[in-house]
């Protein structure tokens, strides 16, 4: 069936215009286009969060915030998309207590993330076990992040806000209250339910969400275009070049690490031998002595005297890159010791942070 046309006039020249296009209300067209864009942006956020690719994640975060802020109200069928975007943005910055997403200045990024996770749970009737796991991990890490920053009083106040008087919450509430009293951020409970485990669980949830978004119009059309133009091979080649540059940078810092290791061994071995020997002569149970020794070793690392076993060469992960970029954003280039103290790095030194930042800047 032929499409009916009407005459339109552009610069005095008559031209046929499709009546099907002209009859569509612009507001409705914008709404549909915005829906496609928001779903696409959410998919990009999910992918870059899962890959821990910081720069790309922050770029799409800004796009997502612009689209969400432009909504006069959230359509019911888009609530889950909006909540997921807001959750990921807050989880990614969960350790930055200086950032505030809520008007209430007491609310940390993770506590704000918990409110969006609650909203997401209401939108779904499945994945109950995964929902419960993530909820518990967020609650535990809200307390853990405050304790890592030595905010013990605030941690106790947060605990009162987090939990109701229900019997199901009581065991965890009691355990966390006990942890706060110890003023030790390295107790087994916080280490077992770590931030990295929270990220891993969020990634599992993301995989399921991305499958649901595979039918998005923009994703389908962009995929067709990439395949038809053969653009996928070029992207993979560029990614391979990035990996090679990272390897070169790591090898350059190897010699410096050897010298640092020698110094660390000479400084730390005597101290450990002295402290562990003194504890062995005491009357504490074996398990208590082991935990005490582990805590001493962790304190050594935190104070800048890294152990040789934690200083062996290891490739930088996407998560560590993200932590480094967050640290630079919060404390500025050059404040490597402060970034190291507040970040979640696996046996790194301030020199290693400096070298890695130089590599990331070159690649960018």
């Amino acid at each position: 069936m032929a499409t009916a046309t009407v005459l339109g006039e552009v610069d005095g020249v008559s031209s046929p215009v499709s009546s099907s296009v002209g009859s569509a209300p612009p507001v409705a067209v914008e709404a549909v286009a915005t829906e496609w864009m928001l779903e696409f942006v959410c998919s990009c956020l999910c992918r870059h969060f899962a890959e821990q690719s910081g720069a790309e994640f922050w770029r799409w975060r800004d796009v997502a915030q612009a689209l969400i802020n432009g909504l006069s109200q959230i359509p019911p069928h888009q609530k889950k998309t909006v909540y997921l975007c807001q959750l990921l943005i807050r989880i990614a910055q969960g350790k930055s207590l200086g950032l505030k997403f809520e008007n209430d200045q007491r609310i940390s990024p993770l506590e704000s993330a918990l409110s969006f996770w609650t909203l997401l749970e209401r939108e779904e009737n499945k994945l109950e076990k995964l929902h419960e796991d993530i909820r518990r991990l967020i609650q535990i890490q809200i307390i853990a992040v405050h304790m890592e920053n030595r905010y013990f009083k605030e941690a106790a106040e947060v605990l009162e806000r987090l939990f109701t008087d229900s019997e199901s919450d009581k065991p965890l509430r009691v355990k966390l209250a006990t942890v706060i009293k110890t003023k030790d951020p390295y107790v087994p409970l916080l280490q077992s339910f770590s931030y990295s485990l929270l990220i891993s669980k969020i990634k599992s949830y993301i995989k399921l969400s991305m499958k649901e978004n595979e039918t998005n119009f923009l994703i389908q059309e962009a995929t067709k275009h990439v395949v038809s133009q053969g653009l996928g091979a070029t992207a993979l080649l560029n990614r391979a070049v990035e990996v090679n540059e990272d390897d070169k940078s790591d090898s350059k810092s190897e010699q410096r690490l050897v010298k640092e290791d020698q110094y660390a061994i000479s400084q730390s071995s005597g101290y450990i031998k002295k402290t562990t020997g003194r504890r062995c002569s005491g009357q504490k149970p074996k398990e208590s002595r082991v935990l005490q020794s582990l805590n001493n070793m962790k304190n050594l690392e935190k104070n800048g005297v890294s152990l040789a076993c934690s200083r062996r060469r290891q490739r930088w992960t996407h998560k560590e890159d993200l932590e480094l970029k967050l640290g630079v954003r919060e404390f500025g280039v050059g404040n490597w010791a402060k970034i190291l103290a507040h970040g979640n790095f696996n046996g790194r030194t301030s020199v290693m942070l400096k070298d890695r930042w130089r590599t990331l800047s070159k690649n960018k």
Side-chain angles (χ1 to χ4, degrees), residues 132-150:
E132 183 65 20
D133 289 346
I134 292 177
R135 167 173 284 277
R136 293 305 186 199
L137 281 166
I138 295 177
Q139 289 172 328
I140 292 171
Q141 279 305 306
I142 291 172
I143 301 299
V145 170
H146 278 84
M147 293 190 65
E148 287 170 9
N149 287 274
R150 317 298 292 178

Side-chain angles (χ1 to χ4, degrees), residues 248-259:
K248 291 179 182 178
S249 174
D250 288 340
S251 64
K252 285 181 181 179
S253 60
E254 181 70 23
Q255 293 180 348
R256 184 187 291 110
L257 288 178
V258 171
K259 293 182 179 180

Side-chain angles (χ1 to χ4, degrees), residues 59 141 261 310:
R59 181 162 61 90
Q141 279 305 306
D261 285 341
S310 68

Side-chain angles (χ1 to χ4, degrees), residues 122-188:
R122 294 174 183 172
E123 296 297 315
E124 296 179 323
N125 297 320
K126 51 185 178 178
L127 308 175
E128 291 185 4
K129 179 64 170 64
L130 184 58
H131 283 163
E132 183 65 20
D133 289 346
I134 292 177
R135 167 173 284 277
R136 293 305 186 199
L137 281 166
I138 295 177
Q139 289 172 328
I140 292 171
Q141 279 305 306
I142 291 172
I143 301 299
V145 170
H146 278 84
M147 293 190 65
E148 287 170 9
N149 287 274
R150 317 298 292 178
Y151 294 148
F152 304 117
K153 179 182 177 182
E154 290 79 358
E157 293 172 354
V158 169
L159 187 65
E160 294 298 319
R161 294 198 300 270
L162 285 181
F163 294 97
T164 62
D165 295 330
S166 66
E167 289 299 317
S168 61
D169 289 334
K170 188 175 180 179
L172 181 59
R173 185 173 73 248
V174 171
K175 288 180 181 178
L176 288 175
T178 304
V179 167
I180 293 172
K181 290 179 181 178
T182 67
K183 295 185 177 181
D184 182 3
Y186 301 107
V187 296

Side-chain angles (χ1 to χ4, degrees), residues 42 46 78-88 91 112-127 131 134-135 138 202 205-206 209 212:
C42 183
C46 288
Q78 284 192 285
K79 285 183 177 180
K80 184 178 176 182
T81 301
V82 173
Y83 297 158
L84 180 55
C85 289
Q86 300 286 37
L87 172 78
L88 296 183
I91 293 291
S112 179
L114 182 61
S115 64
F116 279 100
W117 181 248
T118 301
L119 293 172
L120 270 173
E121 286 181 302
R122 294 174 183 172
E123 296 297 315
E124 296 179 323
N125 297 320
K126 51 185 178 178
L127 308 175
H131 283 163
I134 292 177
R135 167 173 284 277
I138 295 177
I202 295 290
Y205 179 78
I206 283 175
S209 298
E212 295 179 5

